[in-house]
Amino acid sequence: MLKTAILYSTVDGQTLAICQRIEQVLRESGEQVTVINLTDVTAEQLTAVDKVVIGASIRYGKHRPELFKFAAQHQALLDTKLNSFFTVNVVARKPLKNTPETNPYMQKFLTLSAWTPNMLGVFAGKIDYPRYRFFDKVMIRFIMWMTKGPTDTSGTFEFTDWDKVDDYAKQIVAQKH
């Protein structure tokens, strides 16, 4: 039985929800899976698994700094494992920006990161205006106005394509040593 660690870096929880969906698909295929916050994982936990999946969200155009710190610190270990990385961002709601090759945040990650993952994924995220603090609500609404996205601050808008998430999870299952 393959052991997989799914690590997440999330601001509002959509990346964790995607990780949990991937976990479900992997468990159904017989893998032993642990989902861990990226900031809480230990080197021992990483050493004990066959696969490492990392999912990270974007806020204000950037991945969180701990993602890059983690990738640099554990690059050598990650390179010994089957591994994959996906990013979650609202820009990916647009058809021409929803693949690893066309998503600007994935390309920026690959340029800035010391780690080059084996497999890549991009998923559109979610806007949940009612949950945001005032500043975030105003800023995100402005960004959405500029990019022709939803601006109704009373609404929640989920753009995640769950079939695409399932397909990505099945590709992770297919990874073999």
Side-chain angles (χ1 to χ4, degrees), residues 152-165:
D152 175 2
T153 58
S154 67
T156 298
F157 306 91
E158 185 169 330
F159 300 104
T160 306
D161 179 341
W162 293 103
D163 290 337
K164 187 176 177 183
V165 173

Side-chain angles (χ1 to χ4, degrees), residues 34 54 59 82 106 128 148 156 174:
T34 307
I54 300 176
R59 179 56 66 90
L82 296 170
M106 177 61 81
D128 192 355
K148 297 180 178 31
T156 298

